[in-house]
């Protein structure tokens, strides 16, 4: 992974090289804290050990009985689905096995998806650390009923990824389902390089060993200086800019295959860093599409944003045919990839010309090793930002509050959070 922070220097808001030097001293201290947390396998910090601790052989053994299905359906939500979706989408051109993700409880969307699936040749992976996640288990019950109605033995086509206890663990034991264990001490949003994120890719026959190898490369690059570690440099620069007013971080990949990556990043960044009245709000964009929508705001709106531009250095291209249409002849002889790269660099320059901070992240190509390196680097960057901001990076109290409220409303227990719903103020206009 290559990181260029030149356009984060000198703008408004912006950093100086002197500021970077001060940040570097703090990065060194934070790195020591992170390394100690990793050595002790502390909750959260254990996620940065996954390239060494994940067992890809065990993952392949768990999915081997299913052979090569026509489709894989992952039933999960948040971190139980987004990492897997990111890897699968990035590597989709390397498999004929379709991947689908049931990660919301919208009834119309769920019905449409189930109607479109070849249920007799679809493997279902149900993912929940606790085994009690209401959305995930509700969706799974719907999927199971659909399989029953279609005359499909769901027990022959289902496996679970969960903890040692809970409803899913009991289900797996009762029906002798294949299962994988979620890693200890790893929050869901940090679990992409684990059983949680790699099982779907394994079912698709993708190179999960390459993903782990790429993550290992990023792990090996961690050091006590931001000048030697792209991951830590990104986290530190984002923190420094946020302290100076860049409270939104627009993640903008220039590759359709990385669109899910921006969604995964949004959860990782928001859930980890949005606490104690601080944090940097992630926004999702896609280049070049959003140059024609969001860029106007980023270049000419409030000076409260950082734009992170991501692209592969290598990609397959399609030639643009020669044309004699007036004003378009300059396009002939180049490729769509050339045009996309030109759009990338034009966006970068456009922002810089107005003193709007932006950071360039490049990977060699969208392949297994590079997506593994990118995912791990963003996780390490998140941890570094959290250390510099003095946050409890690995907790998510606001999320837990909402879960309790929803469960109480559905009759799943007596929770004060549910009682608060009755206090909602109304002011309707018809």
């Amino acid at each position: 992974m290559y990181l260029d922070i030149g356009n984060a220097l000198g703008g408004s808001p912006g950093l100086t090289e002197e500021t970077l030097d001060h940040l570097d001293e703090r990065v060194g201290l934070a790195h020591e804290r992170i390394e100690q947390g990793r050595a002790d396998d502390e909750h959260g910090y254990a996620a940065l050990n996954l390239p060494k601790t994940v067992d890809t052989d065990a993952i392949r053994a768990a999915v081997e009985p299913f052979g090569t299905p026509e489709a894989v359906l992952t039933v999960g939500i948040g971190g139980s689905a987004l990492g897997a979706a990111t890897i699968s989408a990035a590597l989709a051109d390397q498999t004929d096995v379709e991947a689908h993700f049931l990660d919301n409880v919208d009834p119309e969307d769920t019905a449409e998806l189930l109607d479109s699936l070849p249920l007799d040749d679809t493997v279902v992976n149900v993912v929940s650390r606790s085994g009690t996640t209401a959305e995930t288990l509700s969706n799974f019950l719907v999927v199971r009923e659909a399989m029953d109605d279609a005359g499909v033995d769901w027990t022959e086509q289902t496996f679970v990824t969960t903890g040692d206890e809970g409803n899913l663990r009991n289900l797996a034991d009762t029906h002798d389902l294949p299962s994988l264990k979620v890693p200890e001490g790893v929050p869901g949003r940090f679990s992409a390089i684990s059983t949680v994120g790699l099982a779907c890719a394994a079912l698709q026959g993708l190179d999960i060993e390459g993903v782990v190898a790429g993550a290992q490369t990023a792990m090996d690059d961690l050091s006590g200086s931001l000048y030697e570690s792209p991951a830590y440099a990104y986290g530190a620069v984002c923190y420094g800019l946020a302290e100076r007013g860049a409270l939104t971080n627009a993640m903008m990949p220039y590759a359709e295959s990385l669109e899910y990556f921006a969604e995964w990043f949004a959860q990782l960044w928001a859930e980890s860093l949005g606490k104690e009245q601080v944090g940097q709000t992630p926004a999702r964009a896609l280049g070049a599409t959003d140059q024609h929508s969001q860029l106007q705001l980023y270049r000419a709106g409030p000076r409260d944003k950082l734009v992170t531009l991501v692209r592969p250095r290598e990609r397959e291209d399609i030639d643009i045919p020669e044309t004699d249409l007036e004003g378009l002849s300059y396009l002939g002889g180049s490729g769509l990839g050339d045009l996309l790269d030109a759009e990338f660099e034009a966006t970068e320059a456009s922002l810089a010309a107005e003193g709007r901070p932006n950071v360039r992240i490049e990977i060699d190509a969208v392949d297994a090793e590079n997506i593994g390196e990118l995912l791990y680097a963003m996780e390490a960057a998140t941890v570094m930002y959290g250390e510099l901001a003095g946050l409890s990076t690995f907790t998510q109290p606001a999320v837990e509050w909402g879960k309790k409220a929803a469960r109480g409303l559905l009759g799943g227990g007596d929770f004060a959070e549910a009682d608060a719903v009755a206090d909602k103020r109304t002011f309707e206009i018809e």
Side-chain angles (χ1 to χ4, degrees):
M1 188 182 89
Y2 311 91
L3 180 73
D4 183 350
I5 61 173
N7 284 347
L9 303 177
S12 176
L15 305 177
T16 66
E17 292 189 34
E18 181 180 12
T19 303
L20 287 180
D21 289 339
H22 288 310
L23 276 174
D24 192 47
E25 295 176 8
R26 296 182 61 190
V27 166
L29 295 174
H31 175 64
E32 292 179 7
R33 171 68 186 99
I34 294 169
E35 289 300 288
Q36 187 60 56
R38 290 179 58 196
D40 295 339
D41 261 343
E42 287 184 44
H43 179 77
Y45 298 100
L48 297 183
N49 291 332
L50 282 172
K52 295 191 300 182
T53 59
V54 65
D55 187 346
T56 55
D57 290 338
I59 295 173
R60 292 214 180 270
V63 305
E64 190 275 333
F66 299 107
T68 304
E70 185 174 341
V72 180
L73 175 61
T74 298
V75 183
I77 195 167
S80 294
L82 285 174
T86 298
I87 295 169
S88 178
L91 307 180
D93 64 341
Q94 300 174 26
T95 179
D96 293 325
V97 180
E98 293 185 359
H100 302 273
F101 298 87
L102 198 50
D103 59 355
N104 205 343
V105 287
D106 183 305
E108 293 183 353
D109 185 68
T110 299
E112 182 179 350
L113 174 59
L114 291 177
D115 286 344
S116 72
L117 287 175
L119 294 177
D120 59 346
D121 197 16
T122 296
V123 174
V124 179
N125 178 19
V126 192
V127 188
S128 169
R129 170 184 296 279
S130 67
T132 62
T133 307
E135 297 91 341
T136 298
L137 294 183
S138 296
N139 273 332
F140 172 61
L141 292 174
V142 172
V143 172
R144 189 172 74 174
E145 182 176 65
M147 285 185 151
D148 282 338
D149 291 345
V152 176
D153 185 351
W154 65 270
T155 65
E156 295 296 320
Q157 295 177 208
T158 300
F159 77 101
V160 303
T161 305
T162 190
D164 290 329
E165 300 177 348
N167 295 329
L168 273 186
R169 176 54 58 195
N170 295 336
L171 181 80
D173 292 343
T174 299
H175 296 280
D176 196 26
L177 303 178
S179 65
L180 288 166
K181 183 180 176 182
V182 297
E184 295 287 345
V186 178
R189 59 190 177 277
F190 286 90
S191 64
I193 313 298
S194 79
T195 53
V196 175
L198 297 175
C200 176
L203 275 162
Q204 293 181 277
L206 296 172
D207 181 13
I208 62 174
E209 291 80 11
V211 174
V212 175
Q216 177 78 51
T217 297
M219 185 178 75
D220 292 342
D221 282 343
L222 300 182
S223 77
S225 173
L226 66 83
Y227 297 115
E228 298 173 357
S229 174
Y232 283 168
Y234 182 69
V237 166
C238 289
Y239 164 76
L241 288 170
E243 288 292 290
R244 286 154 181 78
L247 297 178
T248 296
N249 184 350
M251 178 59 70
M252 193 170 185
Y254 276 69
E256 291 279 347
S257 58
L258 293 178
E259 187 171 13
Y260 244 125
F261 161 74
E263 187 168 348
W264 169 85
F265 175 83
Q267 184 202 0
L268 176 72
W269 209 246
E271 197 168 343
S272 299
L273 304 175
K275 292 155 191 164
E276 301 176 24
Q277 308 299 313
V278 299
Q280 194 178 50
T281 301
R284 289 173 285 176
L286 180 67
T289 300
D290 287 313
Q291 287 176 228
H292 298 270
S293 58
Q294 298 178 35
L295 182 59
Q296 175 64 38
L297 173 67
Y298 300 156
R299 188 178 194 269
R303 291 185 176 273
D304 60 354
K305 298 170 187 66
L306 159 68
V307 180
T308 301
L309 305 163
V310 184
R311 73 171 173 183
R313 288 184 168 182
E314 300 174 8
R315 67 174 107 221
E316 293 186 5
D317 207 350
I318 296 177
D319 290 337
I320 300 173
E322 300 283 353
T323 180
D324 57 3
L325 291 174
E326 185 177 353
L328 295 180
S329 60
Y330 73 94
L331 294 172
S334 59
L336 292 180
D338 296 324
L339 177 57
L340 192 58
D341 283 338
E343 299 280 10
F344 177 100
E345 291 166 15
T347 298
E348 189 178 51
S350 170
L351 293 166
E354 282 296 308
R356 306 300 177 114
N358 61 93
V359 170
R360 175 193 290 206
I361 295 176
E362 293 179 302
I363 56 177
D364 288 324
V366 181
D367 59 21
E369 290 196 13
N370 280 282
I371 196 65
E373 184 177 3
L374 181 62
L375 290 170
Y376 185 96
M378 292 300 100
E379 291 178 2
T382 303
V383 177
M384 175 54 68
Y385 186 125
E387 294 293 325
L388 294 174
L391 297 172
S392 179
T393 307
F394 307 112
T395 61
Q396 52 282 334
V399 176
E400 299 304 323
W401 195 101
K403 288 181 179 179
K404 292 176 182 178
R407 186 170 180 178
L409 290 173
L410 292 169
D414 185 16
F415 296 96
E417 291 84 353
D419 296 336
V421 177
D423 297 331
K424 178 190 178 300
R425 179 177 180 179
T426 60
F427 190 149
E428 294 184 357
I429 300 173
E430 296 183 1

